Structure formats: structure tokens, C-alpha cells
Amino acid sequence: MSQFLQFSLAGLTVGATYALAALGYTLVYNASGMINFAQGEFIMLGAMVASALVAGGVPLLGAIALAILFTTLVGVAVAKFAVEPARTASMTSLIIITLGAGQVIRGAVEIGLGKGNHALPGLSEDRPLDVLGATLAPQALWIMGLSLVVVVALFWYFNATMHGKALIATSHNRLAAQLVGINTTGILTFSFALSATLGAIGGVLLAPITFTSYDAGTMLGLKGFVAAALGGLGSSVGAVVGGVALGVIEAMTAAYVSSAYKDAVAFVLIILLFFVAPRGLFGAKTSERV
């Protein structure tokens, strides 16, 4: 029982970061109908910048804040200089543009910060906690707790603010939103900025447990996409459920099958999903996003 709880907690911890990545995909998808495959690089960028700043002597909390701010600005730059100029292009072209933007970010980090692994200190002491016989790192509590705070804040934003409702309106019908005066171009830029922020938060939270490197965003981004698709692209609730579910399934596979197959779980799930439930667990239609 303690072993089952141990792997369940590990799955919830990683799943919380997958949920943040999936929410990033969902935001951009709702604002534009496109998939932002630079999302994984936002996760990596936040972690790498924070670790570099800490190594340079910046206090941890200051380094994290600066890393999140920097990553957010990179998200704005991707929207303004890569996506917006090509808004009339096909959706396939826009997706390729985000892939290219991600490669540029990855290459810049590789040149600027090197290829080695980078460590980031945890937000609190490293002494593990005992939970019914299972061991839980304090950083895992930070990951799950802050991820929950972010999710609650996003739900409040979407349902209680005019700007959030404008994003929802844009996701339902872009043309109608424009006709009532909503700046859909600004909504697109904001969605990229917020998705970059979510990615950076996930990166700085996960880095103390797994380390980070210039190529860490590729797998994290793919798993975030799988989580978003698993829950239903366009559904915020689905993104959270999909992320947590993917994390737990991965952990159980590593525990009871083999750790060698852990990373393959996401790709098996996405293949099965296309056959069984192409719209994801929540089956969000285009008119039902967010």
C-alpha cells in the first residue's frame, strides 16, 4: 500500500506540471484554433534562466520572478514577430511557425547556457516528509499546491473578468468577437504571454526535482500536448484532468511494468485516443471551448 501511495504521489507531482503545460496549449488553441508547439520550450526556458540567475548570485525568489517575466516576454515576442505576421496563412503553416520558434529558443539557450544539466534549489528544505509510509519531497507539495492555485486563478479569470470573458468569446466565434469590438489580435498575444507564463511556472517548479537542460522542453512539451488532447483540446478542465491522469499513468507504468516504458506511455495514449475518443475525454467541440 505504501508503495502504491508513493507512486501515486509521484504521478500527481509530475501530472501537475503536465496540467500547466496542457493549460498553455489550451489557451492558445482557444484564442486562435492553433497548436503552439513552442510550449515545451517555454517550460525549459523558465527553468534554465532561473538556474542561470541563481548560479550568478541572484536570490532564488528573485531569479524565479525574473525567469517567469523573461519567458512571458519571449511568449509575447513569438506572438508579435512570428505568429501575427502570418495570421492569414494556413493553420498548418502557423503550427510549423511555432515549431520553428521553439527551435530558435532551444538553439539560443544551447548557445547561451550550454548543453549540460542545470540544477535549481527547491523552495524549501529538502528533508522528505512521511505520508502514511510514503516519502514526499517538500518540493512536490509546492508543485501541487502552486499548480492548484494557478488553476483556481485561471478559472476565476475566465469567469469573473471582462478580459477573460473576451477570450472565451473569441474562442467561440472570432468574427463575432471582432464585430462587438474585441481586439482578437491582442487576445492572441495575451494567450501566448499567459501560456509562456504557465510554462515558466511549471519549469521552475519541476527543475529542483528533475534538473533541466536545453533539450528538456521537447519531451515536456509533447507530454503537455498529449495531456491537453487526452482531456479534450479547448477544455480547461480537460487539460487539468488530462495532465494529472497522464502523470499517474506514467508513474504506475514505471512502478508495475518497467521504467523503460514510462516515456512511451504518452505516445501509446495519444494513438489509442485517436481511435477511441478523438475529441478527448471531455469531448470539447469547437463551440464549447474553455
Side-chain angles (χ1 to χ4, degrees):
M1 185 63 187
S2 62
Q3 185 184 37
F4 176 81
L5 181 59
Q6 180 73 64
F7 284 101
S8 296
L9 291 172
L12 288 172
T13 301
V14 179
T17 61
Y18 292 164
L20 291 178
L23 282 169
Y25 279 105
T26 297
L27 282 166
V28 174
Y29 181 76
N30 281 336
S32 64
M34 64 181 287
I35 306 296
N36 172 30
F37 281 113
Q39 185 65 31
E41 309 312 324
F42 293 152
I43 299 172
M44 174 274 296
L45 184 61
M48 288 290 285
V49 171
S51 63
L53 290 173
V54 168
V58 179
L60 178 61
L61 293 181
I64 289 175
L66 289 173
I68 293 173
L69 175 60
F70 178 76
T71 306
T72 300
L73 293 176
V74 170
V76 172
V78 170
K80 283 290 185 184
F81 302 114
V83 176
E84 282 186 19
R87 283 296 293 132
T88 57
S90 68
M91 195 56 62
T92 301
S93 298
L94 290 172
I95 291 173
I96 292 173
I97 286 171
T98 65
L99 283 168
Q103 291 302 308
V104 170
I105 295 171
R106 177 178 172 178
V109 172
E110 181 182 1
I111 293 171
L113 300 178
K115 296 183 178 181
N117 289 331
H118 293 252
L120 188 66
L123 292 173
S124 58
E125 61 180 12
D126 295 331
R127 186 191 310 174
L129 307 173
D130 182 78
V131 181
L132 300 176
T135 301
L136 183 66
Q139 185 66 20
L141 290 177
W142 281 105
I143 292 173
M144 290 185 280
L146 290 178
S147 296
L148 179 61
V149 169
V150 169
V151 169
V152 171
L154 282 176
F155 280 120
W156 173 83
Y157 162 75
F158 284 130
N159 291 285
T161 69
M162 289 300 295
H163 199 271
K165 293 177 181 179
L167 194 150
I168 294 175
T170 302
S171 74
H172 287 323
N173 191 314
R174 174 178 295 275
L175 179 59
Q178 289 175 328
L179 291 175
V180 297
I182 294 175
N183 181 3
T184 56
T185 300
I187 290 292
L188 174 64
T189 302
F190 179 78
S191 70
F192 267 87
L194 190 53
S195 70
T197 300
L198 292 176
I201 291 172
V204 298
L205 289 176
L206 190 60
I209 292 180
T210 63
F211 295 100
T212 188
S213 63
Y214 80 98
D215 58 352
T218 302
M219 187 62 71
L220 288 171
L222 287 173
K223 290 181 179 180
F225 171 71
V226 171
L230 181 63
L233 273 173
S235 169
S236 298
V237 174
V240 175
V241 173
V244 172
L246 177 59
V248 171
I249 293 171
E250 276 191 355
M252 293 306 168
T253 300
Y256 298 109
V257 182
S258 171
S259 59
Y261 300 116
K262 180 174 71 71
D263 288 333
V265 167
F267 305 105
V268 172
L269 281 177
I270 197 68
I271 292 171
L272 292 176
L273 192 67
F274 287 144
F275 286 103
V276 178
R279 290 204 302 262
L281 297 176
F282 286 77
K285 298 178 182 179
T286 303
S287 60
E288 297 172 344
R289 295 174 193 162
V290 183

